[in-house]
Amino acid sequence: MNKTKRKGFVFTNYEAPDQSPFEKLFEIFKELITHTSGDFDEAIDWLRELDKEYQLTDENYTIEDFIEDLKRKGFIQEEIDPDGDGSGDGDGDGKFSITAKTEQLIRKHALEQIFGKLKKSASGNHRTKHTGRGDEHTGDFRSYQFGDALERISMTESMRNAQVNNGLDNFTLHEDDLVVEETHHKAQMSTVLMIDISHSMILYGEDRITPAKKVAMALAELITTRYPKDTLDIIVFGNDAWPISIKDLPYLKVGPYHTNTVAGLQLAMDILRRKRNTNKQIFMITDGKPSCIRQPDGEYYMNSAGLDKFIVDKCYNMARQARKLHIPITTFMIARDPYLMQFVRHFTEANKGKAFFTGLKGLGEMIFEDYETNRKKRIR
């Protein structure tokens, strides 16, 4: 009697990946150091609290062992306190801070969290739909035309044509035998990412700055490692606006600021005016209405009550200026208030840009999707 094999699913108990005690704690530490804006002592305090509640360590591997491993592996370094007694006994002589190695790992961690789906596809180099002079091979060939660069001639295909057309006995290579391989243009993009650091980003017990910061770190890691020809500038805006470097992102905090959207847009456009390539764009992550502008005499005009027409009209004017410069603005509004949504719609209409009304979940994917789309589409 023939036995037939039964087909179906086999269910087994979930087995967590085999991680060392250090690796388990390090995954949590990377999250905590981001939430604490790079404050090592605060991150460790939180880790100790989590350890008490969830028994993350045991007598064989303690939090102190973890700290020693962080030092040994070069993830943290001791900063000497000039007010210490210099004895080196640990009684206030110094404190620990994360190193550049850890900063890079945090950006990579954010990239994997937010843009993890990139691993499922080929390595990116954002081709456009246009063929011609470029450096991405398409696999398509065409006849040689006067003016084509010599390095673009496919010698293998051209020699094959010469053999077919002229035979082996009288082998000659003519211009008609030459073929070139088509390549795709690769668009270069200059992006400015604006991050709102006004006080409302942590109001009502909701942490909005950490997800925004993660998006910035992920986008920075994406561009610097996979699209090195692109440029990314990051600016923050509160009462004023100023640029920050990529390495400063983990330490970003909100302040007791109003929201000077106009100053942020002015700085973003000043930066993009200096870029030589034609593809430029602004991403703006904000959760509040514009409530502040700086007047020509240097004084601040602030109004947090509702939408101030004087301030709002200045924002609309900036949106129109960006449109004239062919700089689209994509606004990610982390709020659902009807009057704020109305402002963003009018702002987007003035710029002919894009707007997303979103919660914090999925923010990174949407920024990445729009970044991809603009790089493909905005090619002159």
Side-chain angles (χ1 to χ4, degrees), residues 132-151:
R133 289 292 299 275
D135 52 0
E136 180 181 348
H137 298 285
T138 67
D140 298 326
F141 298 94
R142 62 168 173 81
S143 298
Y144 172 83
Q145 297 174 358
F146 179 77
D148 285 331
L150 294 178
E151 63 268 17

Side-chain angles (χ1 to χ4, degrees), residues 30-174:
K30 285 186 288 188
E31 283 291 326
L32 294 174
I33 203 70
T34 302
H35 280 270
T36 61
S37 298
D39 189 320
F40 174 80
D41 291 335
E42 186 180 354
I44 290 297
D45 287 343
W46 275 105
L47 189 60
R48 293 186 192 278
E49 291 298 318
L50 291 172
D51 185 27
K52 291 177 183 177
E53 184 171 354
Y54 298 104
Q55 290 77 49
L56 302 175
T57 66
D58 55 30
E59 65 277 4
N60 297 319
Y61 194 84
T62 66
I63 297 295
E64 281 64 35
D65 294 328
F66 175 67
I67 295 173
E68 286 301 314
D69 278 346
L70 288 174
K71 290 164 56 178
R72 181 174 56 83
K73 295 175 183 288
F75 292 121
I76 60 174
Q77 60 189 358
E78 190 170 8
E79 295 181 342
I80 301 301
D81 185 353
D83 296 328
D85 59 18
S87 63
D89 58 5
D91 296 331
D93 285 349
K95 59 181 297 186
F96 290 111
S97 62
I98 61 175
T99 62
K101 178 181 179 180
T102 308
E103 293 168 358
Q104 198 277 335
L105 274 179
I106 294 172
R107 295 195 300 270
K108 184 179 179 182
H109 181 65
L111 176 66
E112 291 171 350
Q113 281 187 315
I114 295 175
F115 301 147
K117 61 184 178 180
L118 289 179
K119 294 181 178 179
K120 300 177 183 178
S121 62
S123 59
N125 44 6
H126 290 306
R127 70 183 185 186
T128 72
K129 64 183 179 180
H130 304 280
T131 58
R133 289 292 299 275
D135 52 0
E136 180 181 348
H137 298 285
T138 67
D140 298 326
F141 298 94
R142 62 168 173 81
S143 298
Y144 172 83
Q145 297 174 358
F146 179 77
D148 285 331
L150 294 178
E151 63 268 17
R152 296 184 59 212
I153 296 175
S154 173
M155 294 307 300
T156 302
E157 294 296 323
S158 299
M159 296 284 282
R160 182 181 292 113
N161 284 347
Q163 179 182 343
V164 170
N165 295 335
N166 305 306
L168 289 175
D169 296 334
N170 187 26
F171 182 81
T172 55
L173 182 67
H174 300 284

